[in-house]
């Protein structure tokens, strides 16, 4: 009878279905048979017990709220532990999933019907056997931002931290902090600092930047993540160099010139292939320039009214100038327009290609000036390094920004290389990428918030000019 009673008191694994996880496990803890007097009597004589009611002299207690003058939490990580900063941008103007839920889309109402789902291109059904996919199409990730808010939500942030914890490296406790850079409520730019980084023996920093888990997180939440190693030089740069076409200006200059002579289609095709890295830049440049033979030399003056300076370019350059930056435009375009743009934006240097002009007819000969180097990828990197060396600026304190394949070398050489709304090949190979609406997004990568940016753009340094 005693045996059956004992078996009822100790449930089997299949019977542990109570509402309390703690109660399930309390029954296996050893019983406490000592009284409080026995516990106190076992203490050494030199130990003095503090009165639990006596107030802590370093704290002031009032109405149940504790105010502390000292941070008593010891730093769990040793001083000098590396840290990584992740800047998360929500892509509000470029949704990955165009189908919005009526409850969260301002353009739709709860009573509206959702559009019919569309079959992905290249998937069944199809009557053409050659068009039937050999394997099922890769499913698109769930559009979580449409469910939890079109901004960097708390759940988005939590999911990002879970991604970091789940990286295939030996497990280690990660300590994180974050701050909203544009606004506290429903932010679109959030900076997350985490430490320690993954062990480089298992996952290098370059591989971390392109990790498939982070890519999937970006797709699910419609965000972009820029990872940087934290240091004083991340926040304090001194030199910024920019590409011109499709970066500081929205146009491709050589395409605009081609419109004057009716060869726009031929030139545009060569330009697109060169920017995607399909053609050698120097050879493609010479091929395009040869099509411009006979164009009046004053074409550059006429183009100034056609060119559109990119959104945020003036504010970005104004802010960097207020911080004491040296700035340059290094362009595969042409020198007259590079110099004009440098004057418009207050840049210190302008280097581009020189077109040969026939002094008699004052027209373009269709050739480049032989005595001047072609501003290709290698030359842009060399110019970045030489300008930095000339002004005693460490390469870690430099920024380069571009969009084409001929910018990749300088993007990798700079302390921070940013592919801005870049071509596909550049998006994949560049150290970092941003596809925002304004070039001022680059300032967030320096740790500046909206208040800092407003002060730099409209503060005393600008008013005095």
């Amino acid at each position: 009878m005693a045996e059956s009673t004992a078996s009822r008191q100790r449930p089997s694994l299949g019977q542990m279905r109570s509402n309390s996880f703690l109660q399930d496990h309390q029954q296996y803890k050893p019983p406490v048979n000592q009284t409080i007097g026995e516990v106190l009597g076992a203490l050494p004589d030199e130990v003095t017990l503090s009165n639990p009611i006596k107030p802590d002299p370093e704290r002031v207690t009032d109405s149940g709220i504790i105010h502390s003058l000292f941070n008593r939490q010891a730093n769990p990580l040793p001083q000098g532990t590396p840290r990584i900063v992740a800047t998360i941008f929500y892509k509000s103007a470029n949704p990955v999933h165009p189908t919005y839920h009526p409850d969260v889309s301002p353009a739709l109402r709860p009573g509206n019907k959702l559009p019919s789902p569309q079959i992905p291109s290249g998937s069944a059904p199809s009557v053409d056997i050659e068009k039937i996919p050999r394997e099922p199409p890769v499913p698109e990730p769930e559009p979580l931002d449409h469910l939890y808010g079109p901004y960097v939500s708390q759940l988005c942030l939590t999911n990002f931290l879970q991604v970091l914890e789940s990286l295939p490296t030996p497990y280690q406790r990660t300590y994180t902090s974050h701050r909203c850079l544009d606004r506290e409520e429903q932010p679109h730019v959030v900076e997350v600092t985490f430490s320690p980084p993954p062990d480089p023996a298992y996952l290098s920093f370059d591989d971390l930047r392109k990790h498939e888990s982070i890519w999937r997180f970006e797709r699910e939440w419609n965000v972009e993540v820029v990872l940087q190693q934290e240091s004083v030089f991340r926040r304090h740069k001194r030199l910024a160099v920019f590409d011109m076409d499709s970066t500081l200006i929205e146009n491709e200059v050589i395409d605009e010139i081609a419109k004057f002579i009716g060869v726009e289609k031929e030139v545009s095709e060569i330009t697109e292939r060169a920017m995607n890295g399909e053609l050698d830049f120097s050879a493609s440049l010479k091929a395009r320039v040869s099509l411009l033979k006979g164009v009046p030399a004053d074409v550059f003056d006429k183009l100034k009214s056609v060119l559109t300076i990119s959104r945020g370019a003036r504010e970005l350059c104004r802010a960097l100038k207020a911080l004491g930056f040296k700035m340059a435009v290094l362009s595969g375009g042409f020198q007259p327009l590079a110099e004009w743009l440098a004057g418009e934006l207050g840049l210190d240097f302008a280097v581009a290609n020189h077109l040969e002009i026939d002094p008699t007819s004052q027209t373009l000969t269709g050739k480049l000036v032989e005595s001047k180097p072609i501003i290709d990828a290698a030359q842009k990197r060399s110019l970045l390094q030489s300008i930095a060396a000339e002004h005693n600026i460490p390469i870690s304190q430099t920024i380069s920004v571009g969009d084409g394949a001929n910018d990749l070398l300088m993007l990798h050489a700079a302390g921070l290389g940013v592919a801005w709304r870049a071509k596909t090949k550049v998006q994949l190979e560049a150290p970092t990428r941003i596809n925002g609406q304004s070039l001022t997004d680059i300032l967030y990568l320096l740790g500046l918030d909206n208040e800092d940016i407003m002060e730099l753009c409209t503060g005393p340094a600008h008013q005095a000019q």
Side-chain angles (χ1 to χ4, degrees):
M1 186 67 179
E3 183 178 353
S4 61
T5 303
S7 63
R8 286 198 302 269
Q9 292 176 349
R10 186 181 180 91
S12 66
L13 185 62
Q15 295 172 332
M16 294 174 62
R17 296 290 186 269
S18 74
N19 295 328
S20 171
F21 177 85
L22 293 178
Q23 288 180 2
D24 287 341
H25 292 76
Q26 284 287 348
Q27 56 192 312
Y28 299 108
K29 298 182 70 173
V32 179
N33 297 322
Q34 290 177 300
T35 65
I36 188 63
E38 293 172 343
V39 173
L40 295 177
L43 293 174
D45 296 336
E46 61 272 12
V47 176
T48 58
L49 298 176
S50 60
N51 184 352
I53 304 178
K54 180 180 179 181
D56 188 335
E58 295 176 349
R59 295 174 181 265
V60 179
T61 306
D62 182 21
S63 302
I65 302 176
I66 299 178
H67 308 272
S68 177
L69 300 178
F70 303 95
N71 183 8
R72 285 299 181 186
Q73 295 181 352
N75 186 358
L77 299 174
Q79 188 174 5
T81 301
R83 292 176 293 165
I84 291 180
V85 173
T87 310
I88 303 175
F89 294 87
Y90 181 74
K91 300 194 294 182
S92 57
N94 187 25
V96 175
H97 310 275
T99 303
Y100 283 87
H101 191 281
D103 293 338
V104 297
S105 173
L108 299 175
R109 300 183 182 279
N112 291 4
K113 292 183 179 180
L114 286 175
S116 301
Q118 297 181 351
I119 299 175
S121 176
S123 62
S126 173
V127 295
D128 187 350
I129 191 66
E130 293 300 323
K131 293 183 179 180
I132 296 178
R134 302 302 187 262
E135 59 185 33
V138 178
E140 281 288 305
E142 182 73 20
L144 299 177
D145 61 315
H146 296 167
L147 299 176
Y148 300 106
Y151 48 88
V152 183
S153 62
Q154 290 186 355
L155 197 60
C156 171
L157 205 56
T158 301
N159 192 193
F160 178 67
L161 300 181
Q162 290 173 335
V163 169
L164 297 178
E165 292 276 355
S166 65
L167 292 175
T169 60
Y171 178 77
Q172 54 188 355
R173 175 71 182 275
T174 302
Y175 296 88
T176 66
S177 63
H178 78 277
R179 61 193 186 106
C180 304
L181 298 185
D182 60 338
R183 56 194 180 197
E184 292 296 328
E185 298 295 329
Q186 301 185 355
H188 282 197
V189 188
V190 176
E191 180 185 274
V192 180
T193 303
F194 62 93
S195 182
D199 188 341
Y202 293 86
L203 185 64
S204 69
F205 179 67
D206 290 337
D207 289 339
L208 174 64
R209 276 175 157 172
K210 302 180 184 301
H211 199 279
E212 60 181 6
S213 297
I214 293 180
W215 179 86
R216 176 165 286 276
F217 165 79
E218 291 178 321
R219 294 281 295 171
E220 288 177 342
W221 292 98
N222 192 26
V223 297
E224 286 183 319
V225 179
V226 176
L227 296 178
Q228 299 180 77
Q229 293 174 323
E230 175 65 310
S231 74
V232 66
F233 294 135
R234 176 188 79 90
R235 302 182 301 277
H236 300 285
K237 308 289 189 187
R238 296 168 56 195
L239 170 65
V241 300
F242 302 92
D243 177 43
M244 181 171 71
D245 295 9
S246 298
T247 302
L248 288 180
I249 62 175
E250 296 180 359
N251 318 68
E252 288 286 343
V253 169
I254 197 166
D255 292 347
E256 297 295 338
I257 299 176
K259 290 180 182 179
F260 279 78
I261 57 175
V263 293
E264 179 184 5
K265 181 179 180 181
E266 294 87 339
V267 170
S268 295
E269 289 176 353
I270 300 175
T271 300
E272 184 176 358
R273 294 181 64 191
M275 291 300 99
N276 281 323
E278 300 174 18
L279 296 175
D280 174 72
F281 179 79
S282 298
S284 69
L285 177 64
K286 292 178 180 178
R288 288 175 290 170
V289 168
S290 66
L291 297 174
L292 306 181
K293 183 178 180 180
V295 175
D298 63 353
V299 66
F300 298 112
D301 293 327
K302 298 177 181 178
L303 281 178
K304 292 176 184 177
S305 60
V306 176
L307 300 183
T308 302
I309 295 178
S310 298
R311 180 180 174 185
R314 294 184 185 275
E315 293 80 2
L316 171 63
C317 293
R318 190 180 302 150
L320 295 180
K321 200 72 173 178
L323 291 172
F325 271 64
K326 294 292 183 182
M327 293 183 291
V329 54
L330 310 179
S331 173
F334 306 113
Q335 188 67 25
L337 293 178
E339 292 178 352
W340 166 80
L341 185 62
E344 288 288 310
L345 300 179
L347 308 182
D348 301 286
F349 308 96
V351 185
N353 294 303
H354 293 255
L355 290 175
E356 187 178 73
I357 299 174
D358 186 336
T360 304
S361 62
Q362 286 297 303
T363 59
L364 302 181
T365 64
K367 298 179 181 179
L368 297 167
V369 177
E370 294 185 0
S371 61
K372 301 290 185 178
I374 294 177
I375 310 302
D376 56 8
Q379 189 66 19
K380 285 188 176 185
R381 177 177 60 184
S382 177
L383 287 166
L384 164 69
Q385 295 167 339
S386 62
I387 294 173
E390 181 182 349
H391 293 86
N392 297 316
I393 298 174
I395 203 69
S396 58
Q397 288 186 270
T398 62
I399 304 173
S400 61
V401 184
D403 75 299
N406 65 322
D407 297 315
L408 276 171
L409 292 183
M410 78 171 184
L411 295 183
H412 283 286
L416 173 61
V418 180
W420 172 255
R421 301 176 65 87
K423 310 300 186 290
T424 302
K425 173 184 174 67
V426 186
Q427 295 258 4
L428 294 173
E429 297 186 16
T432 63
R433 73 198 190 289
I434 306 180
N435 292 280
Q437 299 299 305
S438 172
L439 278 166
T440 54
D441 285 352
I442 294 172
L443 294 172
Y444 293 123
L445 300 181
L446 304 180
L448 301 173
D449 59 22
N450 263 15
E451 290 186 7
D452 299 327
I453 295 171
M454 289 295 294
E455 184 175 357
L456 290 171
C457 293
T458 61
H462 173 55
Q463 294 172 359
Q465 294 179 352

